[in-house]
Amino acid sequence: MKAAILIGGQGTRLRPFTLDTPKPLLPVLNRPFLEYQFRVLRSHGVRDIALCTSYRAENFRRAFGDGRRLGVRLKYVRETIPLGTGGAAKNAEKLLGGGTALILNGDVLNAFDVRAFLRFHRERRAEISIALTRVKDPTAFGLVLTDERGRVRRFLEKPSWDEVETNTINAGAYLFEPSVFTHIPAGKTYSLERGLFPERLAAGALLGGWVAPGYWIDIGTVDKYLQVHLDILHGRTPFKADGVTAGPQADAIVAAGAGSRVAPFARFSGAVSLGRRVRVGRGAQLTDCVVLDDAAVGDGARLERCVVGARARVGTHAVLGPGAALAGGSRVGDYSQL
Ligand code: GDD
Ligand code: MG
């Protein structure tokens, strides 16, 4: 089976980090985020992957090339203007080999069993199957209501709270029969979630909804981007981080990229991810945070639940509190508080 991954979004909710790096290429524990999803696909025998790019398309080619290094075979499709999730999937049609195809959102880490998903799809003879997951706040996602036999009854993108009838949402992974593509207009902006799914339901087509067990996250916000690091470091996912050392205090988990240096008396707690060539100053305290490549944290600075962009400088004794997101290359003065 071949797959297409939709990676053309601008990642506006993850600015400033996505201003120069598209969301699926943001580093997670010193690897581009999308590499984790490649690994899941590869482990289930899916190696032929079309990447549907638009925003900063050239960055993907530079990062992954033909994919051989990662054990996958990558092909690229590029939209000159973003065509939405539907237009992007339609563009990949010719690369998907004419069989049942797997379509994925590129900002989701989904440790799901692709074969079990395919079995579900085949058993039901569905035209489209949608992988589902359960979340506390469905309003940020596509709400999917199913019946007791796993057939989709309703698909409602970004519902308001008074429309929330279930906690199952679209996990951003679909199986499409080849005939599905005839229902997607070519060369036009079109949404799978607001167009194709509700329209096929209204036409009486059989859409399956399969609740995917296993770890799932969409890294679309700064908070979730931080969270995926903490989840991997705490062992809540099937993935392992490289360069993990116990912190100076045994209760912390710290992963550090090559060339990072931590000065004496620095203290870590919770889970901390350091990029490559990061400097952590004397007596700095870091709790549950991510510091990207070439950033420097000054002596005595305190960081908690925040993300420090590449090449940023945090002054001595500065304090960065929960939710702080420091743009790449920016500076926080000595003793300032954010
Ligand atoms: N090529 C291309 N072109 N890709 C696009 C475009 C486009 O015009 N628009 C969005 N994408 C890609 C994004 O890069 C991302 O990987 C994926 O499609 C989903 O877009 P998001 O902008 O992240 O959507 P969302 O998170 O608000 O909602 C989607 O994902 C949820 C699960 O995380 C929807 O599919 C929801 O229904 C779903 O619940
Ligand atoms: Mg998303």
Side-chain angles (χ1 to χ4, degrees):
M1 189 167 60
K2 299 189 178 188
I5 310 186
L6 314 177
I7 51 174
Q10 303 209 357
T12 47
R13 288 163 297 175
L14 240 170
R15 283 180 190 161
F17 306 112
T18 45
L19 289 173
D20 50 10
T21 308
K23 185 162 53 171
L25 286 183
L26 286 176
V28 170
L29 294 153
N30 297 307
R31 273 200 217 116
F33 174 70
L34 206 52
E35 281 193 27
Y36 295 87
Q37 197 62 50
F38 289 159
R39 254 192 267 171
V40 175
L41 296 186
R42 205 184 53 197
S43 74
H44 293 284
V46 179
R47 287 169 194 275
D48 288 291
I49 303 171
L51 296 181
C52 304
T53 65
S54 172
Y55 177 65
R56 294 196 169 272
E58 65 291 351
N59 295 39
F60 290 97
R61 219 182 258 279
R62 231 180 290 137
F64 300 133
D66 64 5
R68 195 172 315 167
R69 181 176 58 84
L70 304 163
V72 289
R73 289 180 288 265
L74 301 178
K75 295 244 166 66
Y76 296 83
V77 205
R78 182 182 186 158
E79 301 143 48
T80 34
I81 54 156
L83 293 177
T85 48
K90 175 78 177 174
N91 267 350
E93 181 184 4
K94 53 189 177 303
L95 297 176
L96 290 171
T100 305
L102 180 65
I103 316 284
L104 300 170
N105 284 350
D107 62 339
V108 160
L109 185 53
N110 193 351
F112 68 133
D113 181 342
V114 178
R115 291 190 176 93
F117 188 27
L118 188 60
R119 268 198 306 277
F120 168 92
H121 177 74
R122 295 249 154 92
E123 276 164 20
R124 294 207 173 31
R125 297 175 187 280
E127 176 182 294
I128 297 172
S129 290
I130 304 176
L132 311 177
T133 190
R134 297 181 199 281
V135 293
K136 286 202 189 85
D137 177 5
T139 63
F141 301 101
L143 187 84
V144 185
L145 197 68
T146 54
D147 66 15
E148 66 291 343
R149 288 157 66 188
R151 290 180 305 200
V152 177
R153 286 289 159 232
R154 191 165 184 217
F155 191 107
L156 188 58
E157 185 64 18
K158 311 281 179 331
S160 57
W161 269 112
D162 56 340
E163 293 170 309
V164 171
E165 318 168 59
T166 173
N167 63 354
T168 46
I169 59 127
N170 168 21
Y174 323 114
L175 288 168
F176 280 13
E177 284 310 301
S179 62
V180 172
F181 291 98
T182 62
H183 303 291
I184 305 180
K188 258 180 68 178
T189 304
Y190 185 69
S191 161
L192 297 176
E193 298 87 342
R194 295 179 197 274
L196 184 78
F197 301 148
E199 285 165 19
R200 294 311 296 147
L201 282 173
L206 179 59
L207 274 69
W210 177 70
V211 179
Y215 180 79
W216 184 88
I217 197 168
D218 170 319
I219 61 150
T221 62
V222 174
D223 184 57
K224 292 293 167 62
Y225 174 61
L226 170 64
Q227 192 61 44
V228 74
H229 291 80
L230 307 184
D231 289 344
I232 295 173
L233 288 172
H234 282 295
R236 294 191 279 256
T237 80
F239 310 101
K240 286 211 168 49
D242 298 328
V244 176
T245 49
Q249 291 160 318
D251 61 347
I253 309 160
V254 182
S260 285
R261 287 223 303 260
V262 177
F265 308 111
R267 285 202 349 235
F268 296 99
S269 44
V272 173
S273 167
L274 305 180
R276 303 185 178 91
R277 299 169 303 274
V278 167
R279 298 270 171 282
V280 177
R282 239 178 136 78
Q285 293 178 39
L286 282 72
T287 306
D288 289 336
C289 53
V290 172
V291 184
L292 297 177
D293 292 356
D294 300 294
V297 177
D299 295 346
R302 273 191 290 139
L303 275 58
E304 188 183 349
R305 268 203 89 88
C306 60
V307 180
V308 174
R311 302 172 313 281
R313 295 269 172 283
V314 179
T316 60
H317 301 282
V319 179
L320 298 191
L326 212 55
S330 60
R331 278 164 198 278
V332 174
D334 297 348
Y335 296 96
S336 47
Q337 298 207 2
L338 272 188

